[in-house]
């Protein structure tokens, strides 16, 4: 268990570069299993979740070489289609190998990824989609097995635009016979990045980024090279770090249109945001104004930015109403923020945040990845010191966050217990 000791009160100033997207890297790594050759992925962030996915690929028989931010995956040696319970428990997104294993071997067996801190995380849409392609699904003893004699293209409608289900179905359908159409598909930028990678491998996919994706089955795929898109949630987190500390930060390696809802909300809160090519400058001279947010599927306000934005609203002028519509249990950071003096009232899926002039440091704990990030942001702005426990959650989605913020003037020490 590791913790951060954070001394608040410094304005963050300077330049910080965003790494490659965790949520683009993970499905692309899984997609490399669809063929026997070598895939090279560039811009791979050094994150715990990426290391877990590497372990999953190696467990299945692939060989993975990972130097700095370049990863080579040779999937010719994949000789297993089952992912162990231990590996599945380490990361829910391991379920992304379901689509690629079914797509290549017509068979996959994974243990139920189960719920996590932010919600039950069901897989019904993943399984409904695979069944539509002709797979037989059996669920026993906590394991899911998908098996198909043949995969046939089909029309699939998702009740909710699930990111993971969209990605799994894209991968399962690339070599199915005929055409598959996914309706009410998720539209996140990471879906477009997966489509681009799969098409480089020889797939025929159109429509990612819209709610209808069309996949024309091909006989086989081959290795490809790809550079993943920047991480829009990391970028958004740094924008809030600049805002909450009344700092002035230039964030580079950004695709601004991926951040439109976050940029608009920060401007509504009176924060200065200047967009230029692949960089965004954020600066604030005073307390933010309270604004309301409601999380929605892309291109709405991202649920993965809700905890971080709530941290900002705890010190805003006025009262903000924050509604979480994606996950049913994504307010675990509220208790911890309250320990720092935040005034937050929960009413079901809504948090009413009454801004206070300042937070005070406290003993707090990261309960999940983005809640942990939110607590770092709150601690940067708080008076005196904060001890933040269980920072391994933060390492799942941010590369050495303390180094990035210390380079901007923060005072964070990582303590290894
Ligand atoms: C992806 O998770 C992201 N993870 C999450 O980021 C992100 O919060 C989420 O999409 C929403 O944007 C990765 O990309 C690795 P979903 P995923 O399936 O695919 C319901 C982070 O912090 N649902 O889009 O698991 C589900 O309960 C992580 O980086 C079903 O009902 O999310 C939820 O309410 C956290 N049935 C909604 O859909 C299903 O079969 C959205 O979930 C699948 C999902």
């Amino acid at each position: 268990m590791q913790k951060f000791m954070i001394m608040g009160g410094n304005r963050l100033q300077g330049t910080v570069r965003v790494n490659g997207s965790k949520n683009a890297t993970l499905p692309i790594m899984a997609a490399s299993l669809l063929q026997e050759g070598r895939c090279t992925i560039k811009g791979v962030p050094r994150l715990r979740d990426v290391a877990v996915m590497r372990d999953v690929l190696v467990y299945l028989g692939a060989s993975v070489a990972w130097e700095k931010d370049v990863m080579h995956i040779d999937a010719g040696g994949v000789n297993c289609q089952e992912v162990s319970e231990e590996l599945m428990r380490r990361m829910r997104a391991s379920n992304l190998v379901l689509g690629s294993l079914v797509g290549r071997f017509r068979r996959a067996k994974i243990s139920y990824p189960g719920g996590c801190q932010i919600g039950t995380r069901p897989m019904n849409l993943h399984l409904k989609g695979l069944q539509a392609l002709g797979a037989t699904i059996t669920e026993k003893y906590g394991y899911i097995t998908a098996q198909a004699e043949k995969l046939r293209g089909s029309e699939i409608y998702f009740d909710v635009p699930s990111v993971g289900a969209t990605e799994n179905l894209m991968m399962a359908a690339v070599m199915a016979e005929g055409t598959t159409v996914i309706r009410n598909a998720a539209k996140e930028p990471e879906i477009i990045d997966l489509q681009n990678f799969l098409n480089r491998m020889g797939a025929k996919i159109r429509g990612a980024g819209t709610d209808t994706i069309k996949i024309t089955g091909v006989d086989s795929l081959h290795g490809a090279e790809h550079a993943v898109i920047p991480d829009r949630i990391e970028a958004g987190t740094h924008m809030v770090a600049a805002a909450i500390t009344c700092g002035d930060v230039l964030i580079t390696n950004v695709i601004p249109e991926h951040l439109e809802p976050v940029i608009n909300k920060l401007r509504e809160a009176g924060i200065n945001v200047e967009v230029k090519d692949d960089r965004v400058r954020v600066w604030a001279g005073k307390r933010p104004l309270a604004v309301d947010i409601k999380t929605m599927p892309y291109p709405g306000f991202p649920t993965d930015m809700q905890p971080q934005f709530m941290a900002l609203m705890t010190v805003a002028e006025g009262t903000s109403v924050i509604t979480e519509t994606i996950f049913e249990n994504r307010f675990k950071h509220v208790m911890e923020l309250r320990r720092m003096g935040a005034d937050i009232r929960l009413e079901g899926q809504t948090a009413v945040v009454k801004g206070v002039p300042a937070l005070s440091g406290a003993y707090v704990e990261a309960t999940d990845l983005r809640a942990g990030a939110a607590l770092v942001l709150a601690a940067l702005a708080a008076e005196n010191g904060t001890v933040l426990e269980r920072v391994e959650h933060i390492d799942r989605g941010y590369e050495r966050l303390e180094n990035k913020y210390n380079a901007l003037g923060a005072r964070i020490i990582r303590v290894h217990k």
Side-chain angles (χ1 to χ4, degrees):
M1 299 264 271
Q2 300 181 16
K3 60 186 173 186
F4 282 160
M5 315 282 279
I6 305 172
M7 185 52 75
N10 282 9
R11 293 165 181 255
L12 295 196
Q13 296 183 310
T15 301
V16 61
R17 187 177 190 283
V18 173
N19 291 109
S21 162
K22 166 175 83 76
N23 293 350
T25 299
L26 295 174
I28 285 171
M29 287 172 71
S32 66
L33 295 175
L34 280 161
Q35 50 78 50
E36 298 177 355
R38 159 174 283 207
C39 289
T40 297
I41 312 169
K42 296 181 175 169
V44 175
R46 298 205 68 90
L47 304 173
R48 288 165 67 103
D49 275 8
V50 174
V52 173
M53 184 60 91
R54 183 268 321 274
D55 294 349
V56 170
L57 299 187
V58 169
Y59 178 88
L60 294 170
S63 61
V64 181
W66 184 12
E67 285 288 311
K68 293 201 179 80
D69 69 345
V70 179
M71 183 180 280
H72 300 292
I73 302 168
D74 290 290
V78 174
N79 50 16
C80 161
Q81 291 87 40
E82 301 193 9
V83 182
S84 72
E85 168 124 17
E86 188 274 328
L87 275 170
M88 285 303 301
R89 282 190 183 285
R90 285 172 60 191
M91 179 180 67
R92 168 188 167 77
S94 308
N95 67 2
L96 289 170
V97 299
L98 193 59
S100 50
L101 289 173
V102 168
R104 178 170 166 192
F105 300 103
R106 308 284 185 274
R107 182 179 183 279
K109 182 176 178 184
I110 64 169
S111 85
Y112 225 91
C116 64
Q117 293 294 349
I118 61 176
T120 51
R121 317 293 291 274
M123 282 194 58
N124 58 309
L125 298 176
H126 298 245
L127 304 181
K128 172 185 161 188
L130 292 174
Q131 279 171 321
L133 294 180
T136 307
I137 304 290
T138 46
E139 296 176 70
K140 222 164 20 179
Y141 315 122
Y143 274 86
I144 300 168
T145 305
Q147 197 130 11
E149 282 307 306
K150 199 182 198 33
L151 292 172
R152 271 188 212 80
S154 168
E155 182 126 347
I156 297 152
Y157 174 81
F158 282 150
D159 312 5
V160 297
S162 157
V163 172
T166 301
E167 291 166 342
N168 259 331
L169 261 295
M170 285 164 74
M171 291 187 270
V174 282
M175 289 182 282
E177 200 176 83
T179 300
T180 298
V181 178
I182 304 174
R183 298 202 185 286
N184 198 25
K187 300 187 274 196
E188 273 69 6
E190 293 77 26
I191 309 264
I192 300 173
D193 215 29
L194 176 62
Q195 169 182 278
N196 293 341
F197 177 65
L198 286 167
N199 286 343
R200 284 216 176 104
M201 292 170 78
K204 285 202 179 84
I205 309 177
R206 294 286 172 274
T210 74
D211 53 17
T212 303
I213 299 176
K214 189 173 170 187
I215 302 127
T216 307
V218 295
D219 294 336
S220 65
L221 299 183
H222 49 73
E225 192 162 304
H226 183 80
V228 295
I229 55 172
D231 193 310
R232 61 192 166 98
I233 304 302
E234 181 195 345
T237 305
H238 300 336
M239 293 170 74
V240 174
I244 202 169
T245 60
C246 291
D248 184 342
V249 177
L250 178 65
I251 301 150
T252 64
N253 192 33
V254 171
I255 300 178
E257 58 264 26
H258 292 172
L259 280 155
E260 236 162 67
V262 177
I263 290 170
N264 292 337
K265 278 298 167 185
L266 285 170
R267 284 177 170 154
E268 211 181 302
I271 307 296
N272 305 295
V273 181
E274 187 182 76
V275 173
K276 199 167 176 329
D277 306 329
D278 67 345
R279 44 192 54 202
V280 176
R281 180 187 167 213
V282 179
W283 73 101
K286 54 187 177 27
R287 271 177 82 183
L289 305 172
V291 293
D292 296 345
I293 57 165
K294 181 175 181 182
T295 64
M296 295 295 281
Y298 193 89
F301 190 92
T303 174
D304 293 348
M305 279 298 303
Q306 178 262 105
Q308 299 92 307
F309 210 85
M310 184 185 287
L312 181 64
M313 291 295 102
T314 64
V315 291
E317 248 177 71
T319 299
S320 83
V321 176
I322 295 176
T323 307
E324 173 57 58
T325 71
I326 307 294
F327 290 114
E328 70 272 26
N329 191 21
R330 199 170 204 170
F331 282 142
K332 307 281 277 191
H333 44 288
V334 168
M335 262 184 316
E336 305 301 313
L337 288 168
R338 281 181 182 144
R339 294 167 66 87
M340 300 178 74
D343 179 347
I344 306 171
R345 195 175 74 248
L346 285 183
E347 291 165 7
Q349 288 303 101
T350 297
V352 179
V353 184
K354 193 166 177 300
V356 296
L359 296 176
S360 54
Y363 262 85
V364 290
E365 178 184 319
T367 52
D368 59 82
L369 165 54
R370 305 304 175 182
L375 291 165
V376 170
L377 301 179
L380 289 174
E383 289 163 350
N384 52 63
T386 294
V387 177
L388 172 55
E389 300 275 0
R390 304 190 60 194
V391 298
E392 57 277 7
H393 282 294
I394 298 171
D395 295 336
R396 290 186 47 208
Y398 297 90
E399 213 179 290
R400 305 301 301 190
L401 193 62
E402 73 273 25
N403 294 355
K404 292 191 171 177
Y405 289 163
N406 287 341
L408 298 175
R411 291 169 289 175
I412 306 175
I413 300 168
R414 180 186 288 256
V415 177
H416 301 259
K417 271 203 229 171

